[in-house]
Amino acid sequence: MTVSEQTKVGQNYVDGLRERFGAAILDAEWQTADQVTVTIKLGSLPDVVEWLYYKQGGWLSVLFGNDERPLNGHFAVYYVLSMEGIVKSWVVVRALVEEHRPEFPSVTPRVPAAVWGEREIRDMYGLVPVGLPDERRLVLPDDWPDDLHPLRKDAMAYNQRPAPTSDSETYTFVNDATGSTRDVPLGPLHITSDEPGHFRLFVDGEDIVDADYRMFYVHRGMEKLAETRMGYDEVTFLSDRVCGICGFTHSVAYSSAVENALGLVVPPRAQAIRSVFLEVERLHSHLLNLGLASHFVGFDTGFMQFFRVREKAMTMAELLTGARKTYGMNLIGGVRRDIMKAERTRTLALVAELRVEVTQLVDMLLSTPNLRQRTAGVGILDKKVARDFSPVGPLVRASGFKRDVRADHVYAGYASLPFDVHTEDSCDVLGRVLIRAREFFDSLSIIEYALDNLPAGPVLLEGFHYRPHQFALGFAEAPRGEDIHWAMTGDNQKLYRWRCRAPTYANWPPLRYMLRGNTVSDAPLIVASIDPCYSCTDRVTLVDVKKNKSTTVPYKEIERYGRERKDSPLK
Amino acid sequence: MLKLFKIIADAGEATAKYPFAPFPVSPGFRGKPELDATQCIACAACTTACPANALTMDNDTATGIRTWQLHLGRCIFCGRCEEVCPTHAIVLTPTFELAVANKDDLLQKASFRLQDCSACGRPFAPAREIDYAMALLRQSGVAVDEARRAEFACCPACKRAATVARDAVSQHLSPEAEQ
Ligand code: SF4
Ligand code: SF4
């Protein structure tokens, strides 16, 4: 897209970079008015990212690799920074990596938020982050061949994978505690649901000294699938399926990435409708999370009531989109379904009912003595840790940072919708619960306002031209934090590269610091407060650092202990 | 505590009677796709649009049969098929009860006869599609009678060969082509 000089938002960052790093800045190219990709010399990567991050109010939203050998003979790494200083914009730092020297200087020692992304680039592309202290794999299984990097263009077909060679895990869990620990033998994972993970809590008696965890047991290979087997317009429907909660948010992020890349102007009515559907999705997720908060503090009646009322949000979704999950609504260029008068009237009625009922329920939850007692001061996400790791959503907002992609960057219809960004300074589980409760009521008001002020006109842009090798970012605030996508179009109407980052990916790394110093019975609450999928934490291994003893406890048992706080599983 | 009891009392019974009573869905709900095989012209627009590969088409040139297949286990109920179908043969119904005891029952099929080319004799397109093309032309005022069926029932390769042959003759005769 050609962006005129006047509209280049973020020019100040590029000027600053040129002034400071001179010849290391090779090129700056705007994808949209507020997205610029700056190509730099590989050696300056840590300096440049660190400067943008700490000196210019940047946050590291996502980073990823790309196999650009067929395009320019090199691999590339991209670090996406959401600039939230005085000027709000996106700066993507890009550096080329030579094929015969597949390594790049690690940014993690300077900006800790890069840790998972760099581990993933090593797994997926075989590019080595030199200086990255954590040398473990992130995504690939232990017995995956060393020289097979799935996202390289010449690696493998999406539907093939090497046969497993071993049943046991060889992954080392990290424990920074000073006491000595013993290696813990692991049984096969008991997978009860779709997203298992493995937790290890290093404990001293009842106190958590450190924690480590491993995810990606069921990595679905969606990026590879999209790049090799699907048309770019079909990926919209795949991106829905990234998540069972914020699926529509993902497809908005994906569609807008492609729209931004191709320079398409989506009609205002379509953008407003996207915002309505996004808020409907936030409604049911917030109620789910508030329900679970009740459950985890042992208030199961509250859990039942929240879930009963949540049905109304699901009905709203069904009414507006034809499915209880807001799936299948996006196309590149707009939405597939308009909002008619009857649907609008019924939705407004549901909004009014929800407002009354949820107000009562939230009052009830907040006046439950258990809630404060169990959540205040628990699972502290220190502000410094938050600043270092770029977490997103209510998690970062409860640590005092006013970050919400709806307010920080332009997408869907939010530019013309009134809402507040709520923050708390308590940094604890309680703060996160309070923020989600407030955001629930905001969503109701946004839906009302948007329905009363829907712009007229078409809901879909038709007749545009597809061009290969264009790229841009797309993003959308999910209930747990922002989803961010980067898409590059390719030949044959297929994506050349698709990177999709869900909010929990950004929120896992700081979790370790939130667990430290709490008791075992608080662990389920703390994990729940980042609102991951519950099956993520299928099984927990407790390692007593003093007694040098390890126990593996089913997650249900820890959860029960968290609620009842008697009969400790450690005894 | 009292507040809680009041909420519970006001809520009444939240449990639906389903499955002992029907469970109504909203208008516009996207459930099981159903094919009206009498309307379908086997054009394959839906199979091209289907993002989940739930819809597929198989051609058997030996028997001259094209088979349309819907695998409900793969369907994501997006309704793209309905959107692109030129004859409104496939629509998404409000049916959401899709459980089957036998996995094979999720596969639905419809077979269509392929038209043999009037020139080379090889099957090339569904016969229904040719009917449809003729009907469309008739509707827009072009006089297409049954006598011209052979023209329409000619495969693209043979049509091209015929055109090339005809043009070669006419070019040879035209004085401009000589220059
Ligand atoms: S509803 Fe969607 S997934 Fe199902 S058959 Fe139609 S196009 Fe395919
Ligand atoms: S698009 Fe309609 S007419 Fe064509 S094959 Fe599908 S169902 Fe049949």
Side-chain angles (χ1 to χ4, degrees):
Chain A
M1 182 172 149
T2 42
V3 179
S4 72
E5 288 303 321
Q6 299 88 341
T7 51
K8 284 179 177 171
V9 184
Q11 180 71 52
N12 58 315
Y13 299 120
V14 178
D15 294 345
L17 282 172
R18 284 197 200 278
E19 191 182 311
R20 216 182 154 77
F21 300 98
I25 310 301
L26 304 174
D27 181 43
E29 194 192 329
W30 261 264
Q31 282 74 49
T32 69
D34 62 353
Q35 289 183 26
V36 62
T37 301
V38 184
T39 306
I40 63 160
K41 288 200 178 137
L42 189 61
S44 309
L45 193 61
D47 292 336
V48 168
V49 175
E50 184 185 25
W51 185 74
L52 287 169
Y53 194 99
Y54 287 112
K55 295 283 174 331
Q56 300 294 309
W59 295 76
L60 190 59
S61 295
V62 62
L63 61 142
F64 52 91
N66 193 11
D67 181 356
E68 297 180 3
R69 288 175 298 166
L71 304 180
N72 57 31
H74 293 84
F75 289 103
V77 288
Y78 290 78
Y79 286 68
V80 177
L81 288 132
S82 166
M83 304 308 298
E84 297 169 19
I86 306 164
V87 175
K88 309 228 186 242
S89 73
W90 296 95
V91 175
V92 181
V93 178
R94 167 179 184 257
L96 295 177
V97 181
E98 284 178 55
E99 179 174 11
H100 65 269
R101 209 162 160 247
E103 53 182 46
F104 62 100
S106 169
V107 174
T108 308
R110 312 279 196 89
V111 180
V115 61
W116 273 32
E118 292 187 341
R119 289 170 68 188
E120 185 165 351
I121 291 177
R122 182 174 48 209
D123 284 5
M124 292 306 199
Y125 290 95
L127 307 178
V128 180
V130 178
L132 175 66
D134 193 338
E135 294 190 333
R136 297 169 303 165
R137 286 179 169 173
L138 181 73
V139 179
L140 296 179
D142 299 332
D143 60 350
W144 187 271
D146 277 334
D147 51 358
L148 185 60
H149 303 291
L151 286 180
R152 285 191 177 194
K153 292 291 172 200
D154 51 6
M156 54 197 268
Y158 78 93
N159 53 355
Q160 292 172 339
R161 60 206 56 189
T165 57
S166 137
D167 281 340
S168 54
E169 279 190 297
T170 52
Y171 191 81
T172 36
F173 288 81
V174 169
N175 170 15
D176 280 351
T178 36
S180 64
T181 54
R182 199 199 313 169
D183 260 21
V184 184
L186 280 174
L189 270 169
H190 178 228
I191 298 172
T192 53
S193 196
D194 54 350
E195 267 189 275
H198 186 135
F199 266 69
R200 251 179 229 210
L201 301 179
F202 300 100
V203 297
D204 179 359
E206 291 282 329
D207 297 324
I208 303 172
V209 184
D210 203 352
D212 197 10
Y213 27 88
R214 185 183 196 190
M215 307 291 145
F216 302 99
Y217 288 93
V218 281
H219 190 275
R220 288 173 289 179
M222 275 189 165
E223 293 174 347
K224 181 87 180 170
L225 175 73
E227 287 165 28
T228 49
R229 135 88 182 82
M230 301 184 82
Y232 79 101
D233 53 342
E234 293 170 336
V235 175
T236 331
F237 296 92
L238 178 68
S239 60
D240 271 335
R241 266 76 194 172
V242 170
C243 183
I245 297 281
C246 62
F248 183 74
T249 320
H250 276 287
S251 80
V252 169
Y254 171 72
S255 319
S256 34
V258 175
E259 289 153 4
N260 287 338
L262 297 176
L264 310 181
V265 181
V266 177
R269 189 174 176 88
Q271 296 287 35
I273 291 179
R274 280 183 179 170
S275 279
V276 172
F277 293 170
L278 283 168
E279 293 303 320
V280 170
E281 201 169 65
R282 294 169 65 83
L283 286 184
H284 81 74
S285 174
H286 286 328
L287 290 179
L288 186 146
N289 190 252
L290 290 171
L292 288 172
S294 314
H295 171 66
F296 278 99
V297 299
F299 178 35
D300 269 336
T301 311
F303 166 80
M304 291 296 183
Q305 294 301 325
F306 273 109
F307 268 64
R308 172 179 63 78
V309 175
R310 180 173 177 265
E311 254 334 275
K312 297 203 171 169
M314 304 307 287
T315 305
M316 199 187 286
E318 184 185 314
L319 183 75
L320 292 172
T321 71
R324 279 166 60 90
K325 269 304 295 147
T326 30
Y327 278 163
M329 282 298 104
N330 275 312
L331 286 181
I332 305 299
V335 290
R336 295 172 59 202
R337 204 171 146 133
D338 206 346
I339 297 177
M340 301 302 170
K341 186 145 180 278
E343 291 159 356
R344 182 178 160 270
T345 318
R346 178 95 178 88
T347 304
L348 289 175
L350 284 168
V351 165
E353 288 171 32
L354 276 170
R355 186 173 281 132
V356 175
E357 295 199 43
V358 177
T359 306
Q360 288 175 347
L361 290 181
V362 168
D363 280 353
M364 182 184 76
L365 177 63
L366 296 184
S367 59
T368 309
N370 243 2
L371 181 79
R372 259 164 226 284
Q373 192 194 321
R374 294 287 284 112
T375 58
V378 168
I380 300 277
L381 174 63
D382 184 78
K383 289 192 183 187
K384 164 109 178 42
V385 176
R387 185 64 188 97
D388 287 344
F389 281 92
S390 287
V392 292
L395 178 62
V396 75
R397 292 197 277 277
S399 286
F401 291 99
K402 207 166 178 156
R403 305 190 65 200
D404 185 326
V405 82
R406 293 177 298 171
D408 294 335
H409 301 288
V410 181
Y411 73 98
Y414 288 107
S416 48
L417 294 171
F419 66 95
D420 293 328
V421 177
H422 301 284
T423 57
E424 282 284 330
D425 273 324
S426 57
C427 309
D428 57 2
V429 174
L430 181 63
R432 289 161 217 150
V433 173
L434 293 176
I435 286 184
R436 294 198 68 154
R438 274 180 233 140
E439 289 184 1
F440 173 84
F441 294 106
D442 277 0
S443 295
L444 292 178
S445 311
I446 297 177
I447 294 170
E448 270 177 338
Y449 185 92
L451 288 178
D452 284 338
N453 296 281
L454 270 189
V459 296
L460 186 64
L461 170 79
E462 282 176 280
F464 57 84
H465 286 287
Y466 176 85
R467 285 170 298 137
H469 308 127
Q470 307 296 311
F471 58 87
L473 287 166
F475 38 86
E477 183 78 17
R480 308 155 169 160
E482 96 240 357
D483 292 343
I484 177 153
H485 289 224
W486 187 88
M488 182 191 247
T489 57
D491 294 324
N492 301 326
Q493 310 258 321
K494 279 196 172 103
L495 292 177
Y496 188 85
R497 173 79 168 105
W498 175 40
R499 171 67 177 153
C500 152
R501 199 274 283 138
T504 311
Y505 188 95
N507 289 343
W508 279 127
L511 180 65
R512 177 183 185 194
Y513 303 92
M514 293 154 61
L515 286 166
R516 285 183 187 171
N518 291 281
T519 64
V520 173
S521 64
D522 291 330
L525 260 170
I526 299 171
V527 176
S529 75
I530 71 166
D531 194 18
C533 294
Y534 276 78
S535 49
C536 289
T537 48
D538 194 55
R539 175 178 273 227
V540 182
T541 306
L542 302 165
V543 182
D544 192 312
V545 293
K546 286 257 174 68
K547 294 194 201 135
N548 234 2
K549 170 183 110 171
S550 76
T551 345
T552 303
V553 190
Y555 196 72
K556 278 248 165 327
E557 176 60 15
I558 296 275
E559 212 187 283
R560 179 206 56 78
Y561 180 49
R563 284 198 313 271
E564 299 171 8
R565 305 234 272 171
K566 46 182 193 241
D567 306 328
S568 166
L570 295 165
K571 301 250 162 67
Chain B
M1 236 354 175
L2 274 178
K3 259 196 220 159
L4 178 59
F5 287 136
K6 180 158 186 321
I7 291 174
I8 295 171
D10 288 351
E13 186 159 349
T15 313
K17 292 278 177 287
Y18 182 81
F20 304 107
F23 194 82
V25 292
S26 303
F29 177 85
R30 298 189 311 273
K32 179 184 177 192
E34 270 183 42
L35 178 77
D36 177 354
T38 60
Q39 281 291 317
C40 177
I41 56 169
C43 68
C46 55
T47 59
T48 313
C50 177
N53 265 13
L55 286 167
T56 46
M57 233 10 141
D58 271 335
N59 285 331
D60 184 342
T61 42
T63 54
I65 297 290
R66 168 176 278 198
T67 314
W68 175 101
Q69 297 184 85
L70 166 61
H71 195 312
L72 282 171
R74 299 194 62 118
C75 178
I76 58 170
F77 311 100
C78 63
R80 285 292 276 161
C81 47
E82 178 175 334
E83 223 163 52
V84 299
C85 177
T87 62
H88 215 62
I90 188 161
V91 283
L92 266 61
T93 62
T95 311
F96 58 83
E97 293 167 311
L98 299 170
V100 288
N102 180 354
K103 215 171 169 187
D104 295 340
D105 294 344
L106 290 170
L107 191 65
Q108 307 192 338
K109 291 185 182 197
S111 309
F112 299 90
R113 191 172 63 78
L114 288 170
Q115 175 76 47
D116 292 338
C117 170
S118 54
C120 66
R122 278 193 285 268
F124 76 99
R128 288 270 189 80
E129 206 171 14
I130 290 155
D131 294 340
Y132 182 69
M134 292 172 72
L136 268 187
L137 282 172
R138 253 181 237 125
Q139 212 178 34
S140 53
V142 183
V144 180
D145 56 19
E146 275 311 300
R148 290 182 62 192
R149 179 169 284 273
E151 248 174 74
F152 286 88
C154 179
C155 76
C158 291
K159 249 183 216 158
R160 217 173 301 126
T163 316
V164 169
R166 194 191 62 210
D167 285 0
V169 172
S170 64
Q171 271 179 15
H172 188 66
L173 295 178
S174 78
E176 296 89 349
E178 301 277 274
Q179 290 163 9

